């Protein structure tokens, strides 16, 4: 079985400690919104139509929550624990809407490490430009764990 080119994997569960933090800042740009809408074919006017959004309680277009979720899950895949990770549980609460062109500061913090179960629990918090929490919750991820399966078969006479 060919495995393709060798890629760097994220950290193993033994290398992760409670209290580790990752901070990142994302500015929501038009290109991000258009990519999301194009990929999902989500035509919700609340996301893209200023005239429609102005008639709602939001007053202006909002960023789809699934886009914000994608930023969080991408941070898990890239950095904490990193490439090869698998998210097996997530619970995110969207406390207030995020609007177009907003800047969101994300904080991810490891709150539990289960070495036996190969699971890391990560608290998630996102704050907007005013410092208000717009997203909070948790993600449970399995850090990369490779098996020692043979990729070729060798026969030897004993």
């Amino acid at each position: 079985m060919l495995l393709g080119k060798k890629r760097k994997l994220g950290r193993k569960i033994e290398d992760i400690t409670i209290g580790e933090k990752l901070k990142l800042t994302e500015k929501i740009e038009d290109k991000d919104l258009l990519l999301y809408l194009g990929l999902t074919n989500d035509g919700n006017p609340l996301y893209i139509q200023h005239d429609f959004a102005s008639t709602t309680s939001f007053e202006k277009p909002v960023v789809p929550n699934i886009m914000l979720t994608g930023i969080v899950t991408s941070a898990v895949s890239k950095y904490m624990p990193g490439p090869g990770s698998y998210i097996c549980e997530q619970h995110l609460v969207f406390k207030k809407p995020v609007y177009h062109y907003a800047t969101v500061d994300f904080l991810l913090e490891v709150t539990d490490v289960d070495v036996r179960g190969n699971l890391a629990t990560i608290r998630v918090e996102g704050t907007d430009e005013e410092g208000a929490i717009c997203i909070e919750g948790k993600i449970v991820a399995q850090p990369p764990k490779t098996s020692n399966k043979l990729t070729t078969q060798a026969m030897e006479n004993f």
Side-chain angles (χ1 to χ4, degrees):
M1 168 189 226
L2 296 175
L3 298 177
K5 83 177 193 180
K6 202 165 186 124
R7 300 183 193 284
K8 184 174 183 197
L9 293 178
R11 293 178 301 140
K12 295 180 179 177
I13 193 72
E14 297 83 10
D15 301 327
I16 299 170
T17 58
I18 293 173
E20 282 184 39
K21 294 179 182 174
L22 170 69
K23 293 180 182 181
L24 60 111
T25 300
E26 291 285 333
K27 180 160 178 59
I28 309 300
E29 303 283 351
D30 282 338
K31 67 176 177 56
D32 306 315
L33 292 158
L34 292 173
L35 277 170
Y36 164 78
L37 296 170
L39 287 172
T40 61
N41 198 25
D42 187 344
N44 187 340
L46 183 60
Y47 300 151
I48 52 175
Q49 293 180 5
H50 291 266
D51 55 341
F52 172 80
S54 69
T55 66
T56 71
S57 61
F58 297 103
E59 299 178 351
K60 51 189 176 180
V62 299
V63 175
N65 289 343
I66 195 69
M67 273 186 63
L68 301 169
T69 302
I71 293 169
V72 171
T73 60
S74 176
V76 170
S77 295
K78 289 180 190 175
Y79 310 112
M80 186 186 275
S85 299
Y86 177 75
I87 294 174
C88 37
E89 179 184 336
Q90 66 182 6
H91 178 79
L92 298 174
V93 177
F94 301 92
K95 299 266 191 192
K96 63 179 284 200
V98 173
Y99 296 102
H100 291 204
Y101 313 112
T103 299
V104 180
D105 292 317
F106 292 91
L107 173 65
L108 284 74
E109 180 180 3
V110 177
T111 58
D112 187 52
V113 176
D114 176 1
V115 174
R116 176 168 271 152
N118 193 45
L119 297 170
T121 302
I122 302 164
R123 182 178 69 84
V124 175
E125 184 176 278
T127 55
D128 63 15
E129 294 99 333
E130 291 93 38
I133 295 173
C134 48
I135 305 159
E136 68 180 1
K138 75 170 188 173
I139 287 182
V140 179
Q142 289 180 340
K145 185 174 184 179
T146 57
S147 63
N148 292 328
K149 293 181 182 176
L150 293 175
T151 56
T152 61
Q153 292 190 0
M155 301 290 285
E156 292 183 0
N157 290 331
F158 289 94

